[in-house]
Amino acid sequence: MLHVGFDLSRTRLDVHAMDQIGTSVAVTTAAPDAGGLASLAYRLGEFGQPITAVIESMNGARFIHDQLELRGWTVEIPDAVKVKGFAPLACKTDKIDAWVLAELSRRDLVPALWLPSPGVRANRERARWRLHLVRHRTALKNRIHATLLAFGHPCPVSDLFGAAGRRLLEGLGLPEPWAGDVTAALRLIDILDGEIDDCEAALRREGADHRYVPTLMTAPGIGWVLGYTIAAEIGDIDRFPTPKKLVGYTGLCPSVDQSGGHDWRGSLAKNGPKYLRWALIEAATHAARHPVYRDRYQRTRIRLGRQRGPSIARVDIARKLTEAIWHMLTANKPFAPAGATNTALAA
């Protein structure tokens, strides 16, 4: 068995390969592209042994991981926070990092990250692309509203971009170049509307076959789009042994600084995927009106006041909803099943 450590930089890949007893058999570099990886795989393949590799966690690591696994290697990406303390800081170089990773592989001490499968990555891309388009559409709409306010035209209709709103915009007579900007923004909004509709149709088709989405949609505040986004970002619920682990993964827990017998709770940790955190906060906004969470939301909002209460109360509901999601998906049961009166899901 060969154990290979990689340290990736912008222009090269530092490589350190050792055998099972720790003897270095190759210390080299390679180009971090398809050709360079193919050449490296050929050179190390001449040893005629199975290869286990560890690559530093950074942008581009996934490409190298996929390319080498296609060639029969076993490749892991470690948790950078847990690995960075192993190398001596006084002489830390890319070559030493590669050696450390190879040694961790040889000793079977790699704190490996969970890597989503290509199918899970495709699901995430569908949901994230829709959110990307929605944000662009929202930015365009906000720009039009700001233009109207700048010229003393408050919006008298509930939907500025519906039929009545479009007629209002046509008759305003804004000066140039603002009139042309509004016209161009409306054209872009129409294009984005069509693209977003296509994305949502795809999410409905894919979500109908996803084993998590129907269960997630039984929870308050979760519809097709949010259910698909949450399912895609979670990936495999079995990688979270407890609901606390899932909540921690979402980044919805406050950061805590402790000293002696005191602790200070700050803003959200925000580790984990930001899209999952957004989807849970969005679901919590709607779930706060559900009988299960309404009283808890109101108590928290009133206790913390008008300035901080609503946002912190939403985060609190999002954490409770995340715990409920863990129970639902691990037990494969809907939210608050019929006959339940005082379950942990609704506590």
Side-chain angles (χ1 to χ4, degrees):
M1 172 75 73
L2 286 184
H3 299 275
V4 182
F6 292 128
D7 188 271
L8 178 62
S9 63
R10 287 179 177 269
T11 59
R12 72 177 189 180
L13 190 66
D14 284 279
V15 183
H16 193 111
M18 61 178 63
D19 59 19
Q20 194 63 43
I21 62 174
T23 303
S24 297
V25 297
V27 179
T28 183
T29 61
D33 54 27
L37 295 174
S39 175
L40 176 66
Y42 175 78
R43 281 181 283 159
L44 295 184
E46 291 183 339
F47 288 96
Q49 300 181 39
I51 301 176
T52 298
V54 182
I55 180 169
E56 182 185 29
S57 177
M58 64 178 297
N59 189 29
R62 175 54 60 85
F63 171 76
I64 296 172
H65 169 276
D66 293 347
Q67 290 292 310
L68 294 178
E69 281 211 334
L70 289 174
R71 290 171 169 81
W73 291 30
T74 299
V75 186
E76 294 179 315
I77 299 179
D79 187 331
V81 175
K82 296 179 180 178
V83 167
K84 68 178 182 180
F86 285 102
L89 298 179
C91 55
K92 188 175 183 299
T93 65
D94 290 345
K95 291 183 178 180
I96 291 177
D97 285 343
W99 170 80
V100 168
L101 294 174
E103 185 67 18
L104 290 176
S105 175
R106 185 179 73 86
R107 295 174 181 269
D108 196 21
L109 294 175
V110 179
L113 296 172
W114 176 82
L115 297 176
S117 66
V120 172
R121 286 155 57 191
N123 291 341
R124 289 180 173 181
E125 177 60 22
R126 292 186 187 97
R128 292 174 180 181
W129 177 244
R130 177 199 167 274
L131 180 58
H132 178 76
L133 296 179
V134 168
R135 286 175 172 169
H136 278 290
R137 183 179 65 181
T138 301
L140 290 169
K141 290 183 176 181
N142 290 341
R143 190 177 182 87
I144 293 175
H145 279 288
T147 301
L148 296 188
L149 291 175
F151 286 93
H153 296 293
C155 180
V157 295
S158 59
D159 183 9
L160 184 60
F161 305 97
R166 296 295 180 108
R167 289 193 297 268
L168 174 67
L169 289 172
E170 290 174 359
L172 288 179
L174 295 172
E176 291 295 343
W178 293 274
D181 292 345
V182 169
T183 301
L186 290 174
R187 286 199 303 268
L188 292 173
I189 288 171
D190 290 337
I191 294 172
L192 289 172
D193 281 339
E195 294 293 333
I196 291 169
D197 289 342
D198 292 342
C199 288
E200 291 181 353
L203 295 189
R204 283 182 174 271
R205 290 193 303 271
E206 297 294 330
D209 296 329
H210 199 292
R211 63 192 182 102
Y212 290 163
V213 173
T215 303
L216 288 170
M217 289 178 61
T218 65
I222 299 179
W224 271 107
V225 172
L226 292 181
Y228 188 92
T229 302
I230 292 170
E233 296 295 337
I234 288 177
D236 183 7
I237 193 63
D238 292 334
R239 64 194 178 104
F240 302 104
T242 65
K244 183 178 179 180
K245 293 290 186 181
L246 178 58
V247 174
Y249 175 72
T250 65
L252 290 171
C253 298
S255 57
V256 179
D257 293 326
Q258 292 181 331
S259 177
H262 303 278
D263 63 53
W264 295 267
R265 296 179 181 270
S267 57
L268 295 183
K270 292 188 177 180
N271 54 290
K274 62 181 180 180
Y275 300 96
L276 175 59
R277 191 162 50 253
W278 166 82
L280 291 168
I281 293 292
E282 189 73 14
T285 302
H286 302 288
R289 296 190 291 269
H290 191 275
V292 170
Y293 296 119
R294 184 172 53 218
D295 291 343
R296 183 186 183 97
Y297 174 80
Q298 293 296 338
R299 287 196 305 269
T300 305
R301 185 179 65 83
I302 294 171
R303 176 170 56 86
L304 295 175
R306 181 177 300 178
Q307 185 174 2
R308 299 171 60 236
S311 59
I312 295 178
R314 280 196 299 272
V315 172
D316 177 62
I317 297 302
R319 285 197 291 264
K320 300 304 294 184
L321 190 60
T322 303
E323 294 175 2
I325 287 171
W326 184 89
H327 288 285
M328 291 160 55
L329 297 183
T330 53
N332 194 25
K333 293 182 179 179
F335 179 85
T341 57
N342 185 23
T343 66
L345 302 184

